[in-house]
Amino acid sequence: MDKEQLTKLKVRSGSFELRFEGSEAFLRSEVPKLVKAVNDLHASSVSVAAGILKKDLEKSLQSRADLDKEIEGLKNNLDSMSELGETESLRLQMAMERVSKAMTALSNVLKKNERYR
């Protein structure tokens, strides 16, 4: 091959770089196949990465949904404990009032008993 029949080509796409120096016939017949194969490989790797990202996103969304359910359950438990605490507090208050009335009644009985002695 003499220098006048040589064709030079340089193609860069992302991390892929193709440098060619040779006959124009080879360039026209084989280089497009090579470029298509590299493009298909790149598209395939992007597709695989997108699939992985999609699965990770689905797992994250499921984890978030699980956490939201757990938080809701804890809030419900806290609310029911609060209601139980309010009920117990009311019962204690009522019991204290009964004890106070009983002490007042007992005190009155003792005072009347002392008068009759």
Side-chain angles (χ1 to χ4, degrees):
M1 266 187 211
D2 60 28
K3 293 218 178 226
E4 293 159 356
Q5 292 180 343
L6 291 180
T7 301
K8 291 184 179 182
L9 174 70
K10 181 178 176 181
V11 176
R12 179 180 283 171
S13 174
S15 62
F16 171 73
E17 183 177 313
L18 170 69
R19 292 181 185 197
F20 172 78
E21 185 175 332
S23 72
E24 188 173 335
F26 181 81
L27 178 68
R28 288 181 187 260
S29 67
E30 298 301 321
V31 171
K33 294 176 190 175
L34 177 62
V35 170
K36 183 179 180 331
V38 169
N39 187 46
D40 290 348
L41 180 62
H42 180 68
S44 174
S45 66
V46 168
S47 177
V48 167
I52 291 170
L53 285 174
K54 182 179 178 186
K55 287 180 183 179
D56 288 347
L57 178 61
E58 289 170 356
K59 287 179 185 177
S60 295
L61 291 173
Q62 183 60 43
S63 296
R64 179 164 181 176
D66 292 345
L67 286 173
D68 287 344
K69 285 180 186 177
E70 186 66 28
I71 288 170
E72 190 63 32
L74 290 172
K75 283 181 181 178
N76 290 339
N77 285 343
L78 183 60
D79 288 345
S80 69
M81 284 183 195
S82 177
E83 289 173 10
L84 179 64
E86 289 173 12
T87 303
E88 292 301 315
S89 178
L90 186 58
R91 285 183 183 169
L92 178 60
Q93 185 179 0
M94 290 169 56
M96 293 296 285
E97 288 175 6
R98 285 193 299 264
V99 167
S100 177
K101 287 179 182 178
M103 292 297 277
T104 302
L106 182 59
S107 176
N108 290 339
V109 167
L110 287 175
K111 285 180 186 175
K112 285 186 180 181
N113 193 18
E114 284 181 10
R115 284 189 217 162
Y116 294 113
R117 279 189 171 184

